[in-house]
C-alpha cells in the first residue's frame, strides 16, 4: 500500500502512521521526524531548518522535496509499501511528489485526509508528550505512560515539542489552512482522496481505516497483520 496522510497538526497522522505501519507492513516516512532528528544531532540541515520548525513555518519546498526524493531513490525497503506523513504540504510538493513517484514507478494508492475539530486538535497538541530516545507518542490525559514522564517502550524521558505551545500551534494552523488545504482538492481531482473523521479515539480511527482497505478490491487482504 502506498499512502499519503493529510490533516491538520494534531489530527493524529503520526499516531495512525505508527499503527498502519505495523498492520500494513509498510515504511513510515515522517518529514517532521526527519527534521527533529537533524535538529537533535545539530547537523548543518538541522541548523538551517530550526528557525522554520520552531516558529511553525514551513521549511522551503526545495529542501523538503530533495530529502524525500533521496529517500525514494536510496531506500530499497520502500518497495514493500510506504506511508508519507507530513509530506506533501504545499501544492508544489504534491506536484513534485507525483514526479518522484513517476520516476520510481511507485504510483500512489490513496491520500487519507484526517479531519478533526479545532478543540480536539488543541487538546491533543498541548497534551502531547514524546520519548526523547525512541520517539514513542504519549498524551498527558488520553495516553499516559505507566510511570510519569518515562517511556513504556524504552524507559527514555518524555518531553514536550517546542512547537506545541499555544502561539506556535496557532501559527501552524494558519499555515496549514493557507498552504496545505488546497492539496485536498488536488487529490480529490485525482480520485485518490479518502476522507476520515479523526475525532474518535486512536483505535476507533484505525479500525475505520482498516475497514476502508478491506472493502478495496485491489488491496491484498492477506497483508493485514491483526493485533489484539
Ligand atoms: P510535523 O511533525 O509533520 O507536525 P504536524 O503536521 O504539525 O503534525 P503533528 O506531528 O503535530 O500532528 P499529528 O497529526 O502527527 O498528531 P499526533 O499523531 O502526533 O511537522 C513539524 C514541522 O516540520 C512543521 O511545522 C514544519 O516546520 C516542518 N515540516 C514538516 N514537514 C514539512 C513539509 N512537508 N514541508 C515543509 N515543512 C515541513 O497526535 C498528537 C497527540 O494527540 C499525541 O499526543 C497523540 O497521542 C494524541 N492523539 C492522536 N490521535 C488521537 C486520537 N484519535 N484520540 C486521542 N488522542 C490522539
Amino acid at each position: 500500500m502506498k499512502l499519503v496522510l493529510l490533516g491538520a497538526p494534531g489530527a493524529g497522522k503520526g499516531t495512525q502512521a505508527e499503527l498502519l505501519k505495523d498492520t500494513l507492513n509498510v515504511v513510515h516516512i515522517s518529514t517532521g521526524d526527519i527534521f527533529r532528528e537533524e535538529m537533535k544531532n545539530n547537523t548543518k540541515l538541522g541548523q538551517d531548518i530550526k528557525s522554520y520548525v520552531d516558529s511553525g513555518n514551513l521549511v522551503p519546498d526545495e529542501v523538503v522535496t530533495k530529502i524525500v526524493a533521496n529517500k525514494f531513490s536510496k531506500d530499497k525497503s520502500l518497495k514493500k509499501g510506504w506511508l508519507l506523513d507530513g509530506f506533501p504540504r504545499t501544492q508544489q510538493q504534491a506536484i513534485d511528489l507525483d514526479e518522484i513517484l513517476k520516476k520510481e514507478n511507485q504510483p500512489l494508492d490513496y491520500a487519507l485526509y484526517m479531519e478533526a475539530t479545532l478543540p480536539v486538535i488543541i487538546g491533543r497538541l498541548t497534551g502531547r508528550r514524546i520519548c526523547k530516545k525512541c520517539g514513542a507518542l504519549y498524551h498527558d490525559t488520553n495516553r499516559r505512560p505507566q510511570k510519569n514522564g518515562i517511556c513504556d517502550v524504552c524507559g527514555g524521558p518524555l518531553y514536550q515539542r517546542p512547537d506545541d505551545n499555544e502561539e506556535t500551534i496557532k501559527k501552524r494552523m494558519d499555515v496549514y489552512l493557507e498552504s496545505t488545504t488546497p492539496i485536498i482538492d488536488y487529490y480529490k481531482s485525482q480520485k485518490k482522496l479518502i476522507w476520515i473523521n479523526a475525532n474518535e479515539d486512536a483505535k476507533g480511527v484505525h479500525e475505520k481505516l482498516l475497514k476502508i482497505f478491506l472493502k478495496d478490491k485491489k488491496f491484498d487482504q492477506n497483508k493485514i497483520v491483526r493485533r489484539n
Side-chain angles (χ1 to χ4, degrees):
M1 202 56 132
K2 302 176 196 79
L3 303 170
V4 156
L5 284 189
L6 299 174
K13 303 180 295 295
T15 301
Q16 293 306 317
E18 278 304 306
L19 294 169
L20 288 173
K21 175 183 87 172
D22 292 340
T23 322
L24 304 179
N25 188 28
V26 295
V27 179
H28 173 200
I29 308 163
S30 157
T31 44
D33 286 350
I34 293 172
F35 291 148
R36 280 183 288 280
E37 191 62 22
E38 296 285 338
M39 291 189 295
K40 189 170 98 184
N41 296 330
N42 200 23
T43 61
K44 167 84 172 60
L45 174 63
Q47 290 169 10
D48 290 348
I49 59 167
K50 190 171 168 28
S51 62
Y52 296 104
V53 177
D54 284 353
S55 61
N57 284 297
L58 293 182
V59 172
D61 287 341
E62 57 277 17
V63 176
V64 197
T65 300
K66 198 170 156 197
I67 289 169
V68 174
N70 266 336
K71 179 92 184 153
F72 272 94
S73 69
K74 292 199 177 125
D75 189 343
K76 300 289 170 239
S77 71
L78 296 189
K79 295 271 181 262
K80 69 175 181 178
W82 42 264
L83 209 162
L84 269 171
D85 158 14
F87 184 92
R89 240 172 164 103
T90 63
Q91 184 103 354
Q92 185 57 51
Q93 290 180 17
I95 293 166
D96 292 341
L97 178 63
D98 279 350
E99 281 296 310
I100 295 168
L101 298 182
K102 201 168 154 196
K103 196 169 148 218
E104 300 294 332
N105 195 20
Q106 293 227 32
L108 177 73
D109 291 312
Y110 299 114
L112 304 179
Y113 168 40
M114 301 174 53
E115 190 171 22
T117 61
L118 193 57
V120 167
I121 284 171
I122 291 173
R124 284 182 187 170
L125 291 178
T126 49
R128 172 165 55 190
R129 301 292 180 269
I130 305 172
C131 175
K132 216 170 201 155
K133 259 167 85 181
C134 74
L137 279 174
Y138 296 88
H139 191 276
D140 68 0
T141 52
N142 58 35
R143 195 177 176 189
R144 295 173 64 86
Q146 283 169 7
K147 273 195 207 155
N148 218 3
I150 305 289
C151 177
D152 294 341
V153 182
C154 74
L158 304 188
Y159 80 106
Q160 183 169 27
R161 267 171 51 174
D163 59 345
D164 276 349
N165 62 74
E166 279 199 32
E167 193 190 334
T168 315
I169 291 170
K170 190 178 173 308
K171 176 69 190 170
R172 284 158 62 202
M173 278 307 294
D174 290 346
V175 169
Y176 169 75
L177 291 172
E178 192 185 322
S179 305
T180 309
T181 49
I183 305 180
I184 295 163
D185 282 337
Y186 181 84
Y187 287 116
K188 207 187 260 175
S189 69
Q190 292 190 357
K191 302 204 176 353
K192 294 203 166 162
L193 192 80
I194 294 178
W195 176 87
I196 186 134
N197 177 351
N199 290 305
E200 275 183 44
D201 68 17
K203 196 161 177 269
V205 177
H206 182 59
E207 285 300 323
K208 265 201 278 191
L209 285 171
L210 287 188
K211 266 190 202 149
I212 292 168
F213 297 138
L214 287 169
K215 275 193 205 145
D216 182 346
K217 289 198 180 66
K218 82 179 168 193
F219 179 61
D220 179 356
Q221 310 203 356
N222 295 321
K223 282 198 176 149
I224 288 192
V225 181
R226 288 235 168 233
R227 292 164 306 153
N228 291 324

